[in-house]
């Protein structure tokens, strides 16, 4: 017969062994499962917008095609400059509200355009061929940026798009009975990855450096090292164009582009 104190001692040992076993199992499960859980670090960082420099919307210019209507009738073109001083943070959603008013300050039209803002640089935001009723006198345009946005930091391994633009001929062409100014050029993808959708925006400047024309075109998919010709057009300006500034860009926050850039769209979120 086993003494009672020895049975109690064995029970304590068994309990200790069982407890230790379960501690080891829980530790191993934690080590295996924890890396598989979603990492919310970037999400939290993307919400700390207050730690970033605000995106600036500046130099809003309205180009009317009213006294001399263009191919689409009485219209206006609107161009503004977006400046983002944050070198590693941007956003894929920057909704701009345009309000067009007549000479009595009545609203002619109001529409929203959702733009993207790339980290660290300048972009042109444009609204082209905004119609103006034939019996209306244009008063002005209000451009309202969003009151609050969420900037998303890029991961360390993400590189920004790198394009070079070479301008070629600029000449007057006709679109039906309407004179247009046409600028041709070549854009090159100097990035280390492909882009699905690349756009080129150009502004025409007069001798004073004022914007007198604006155009935008899409060149589509651009592979690494690939070159693509493009053509920009705008109604022929009253002031002579002395030079054109053209910028190429792509929306790195679009899933269609991000898949080919990094391979995991979640890495930019």
């Amino acid at each position: 017969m086993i003494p009672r104190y020895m049975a109690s001692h064995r029970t304590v040992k068994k309990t200790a062994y069982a407890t230790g076993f379960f501690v080891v199992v829980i530790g191993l499960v934690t080590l295996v499962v924890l890396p598989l859980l979603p990492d919310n670090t970037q999400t939290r960082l993307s919400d700390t917008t207050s730690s970033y420099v605000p995106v600036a919307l500046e130099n809003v210019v309205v180009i009317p095609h009213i006294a001399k209507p263009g191919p689409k009738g009485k219209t206006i073109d609107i161009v503004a400059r977006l400046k983002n001083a944050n070198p590693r943070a941007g956003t894929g959603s920057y909704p701009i509200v345009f309000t067009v008013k007549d000479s009595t300050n009545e609203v002619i039209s109001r529409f929203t355009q959702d733009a993207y803002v790339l980290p660290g640089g300048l972009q042109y935001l444009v609204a082209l061929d905004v119609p103006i009723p034939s019996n209306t006198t244009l008063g002005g345009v209000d451009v309202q940026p969003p009151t609050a946005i969420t900037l998303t930091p890029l991961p360390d391994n993400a590189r920004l798009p790198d394009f070079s633009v070479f301008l070629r001929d600029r000449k007057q062409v006709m679109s039906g009975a309407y004179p247009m100014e046409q600028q041709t050029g070549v854009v090159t993808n100097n990035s280390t990855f492909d882009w699905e959708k690349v756009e080129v925006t150009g502004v025409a400047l007069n001798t004073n450096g004022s914007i007198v024309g604006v155009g935008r075109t899409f060149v589509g998919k651009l592979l690494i090292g690939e070159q693509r010709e493009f053509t920009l057009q705008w109604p022929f300006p009253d002031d002579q164009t002395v030079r054109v500034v053209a910028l190429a860009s792509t929306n790195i926050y679009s899933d269609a582009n991000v898949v080919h850039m990094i391979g995991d769209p979640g890495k930019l979120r």
Side-chain angles (χ1 to χ4, degrees):
M1 182 174 181
I2 300 175
R4 182 177 300 176
Y5 74 90
M6 293 183 63
S8 175
H9 179 67
R10 291 181 178 180
T11 302
V12 171
K13 289 179 64 176
K14 289 180 179 180
T15 303
Y17 290 151
T19 302
F21 173 77
F22 283 114
V23 169
V24 172
V25 170
I26 293 173
L28 291 175
V29 170
T30 302
L31 291 175
V32 172
V33 173
L34 186 60
L36 301 179
L37 295 178
D39 183 5
N40 293 324
T41 302
Q42 290 182 4
T43 302
R44 291 196 295 270
L45 286 174
S46 68
D47 293 335
T48 58
T49 306
S50 59
S51 65
Y52 297 116
V53 179
V55 176
L57 179 66
E58 55 189 23
N59 194 31
V60 179
V61 176
V62 178
I63 307 171
H65 309 294
I66 297 176
K68 296 179 180 179
K72 297 187 179 180
K74 292 175 62 174
T75 64
I76 60 172
D77 294 331
I78 308 169
V79 56
R81 190 167 56 199
L82 283 175
K83 183 178 181 180
N84 181 13
N86 302 286
R88 298 292 297 175
T91 178
S93 181
Y94 192 79
I96 305 287
V97 179
F98 296 89
T99 304
V100 183
K101 300 180 180 180
D102 64 14
S103 57
T104 65
N105 213 34
E106 292 292 324
V107 175
I108 299 174
S109 64
R110 180 181 286 116
F111 60 95
T112 300
Q113 181 171 303
D114 198 7
Y116 60 88
V117 180
L118 296 178
L122 295 174
Q123 294 171 244
Y124 287 116
L125 172 72
V126 301
L128 303 178
D129 299 320
V130 180
I132 302 298
S134 58
N135 59 346
T136 302
T137 302
L138 177 65
V141 176
D142 293 333
V143 181
Q144 181 64 47
T147 56
I149 61 172
T150 298
L151 295 180
T152 302
L154 296 182
D156 293 337
N157 63 334
R159 296 183 60 184
L160 292 174
D162 182 12
F163 303 110
S164 59
V165 176
F166 176 75
L167 297 179
R168 288 181 170 173
D169 298 330
R170 185 174 69 251
K171 61 183 179 180
Q172 179 177 336
V173 297
M174 299 298 293
S175 177
Y178 301 98
M180 306 286 289
E181 190 164 52
Q182 176 175 288
Q183 174 71 63
T184 61
V186 175
V187 58
T188 305
N189 181 8
N190 300 315
S191 308
T192 56
F193 27 73
D194 304 335
W195 298 103
E196 287 291 331
K197 188 177 183 181
V198 177
E199 61 183 285
V200 180
T201 303
V203 294
L205 307 176
N206 63 10
T207 54
N208 298 323
S210 300
I211 298 176
V212 295
V214 57
R216 179 176 60 186
T217 188
F218 294 90
V219 299
K221 187 174 184 178
L222 205 59
L223 303 178
I224 299 172
E226 186 178 13
Q227 293 183 330
R228 186 74 52 79
E229 295 184 351
F230 65 86
T231 299
L232 297 169
Q233 284 190 345
W234 48 81
F236 200 84
D238 293 331
D239 292 342
Q240 181 181 2
T241 299
V242 296
R243 70 187 183 101
V244 171
V245 176
L247 300 176
S249 65
T250 190
N251 184 1
I252 65 175
Y253 298 99
S254 168
D255 289 342
N257 277 335
V258 174
V259 169
H260 291 273
M261 188 181 82
I262 294 180
D264 181 5
K267 291 185 178 181
L268 283 185
R269 298 298 186 268

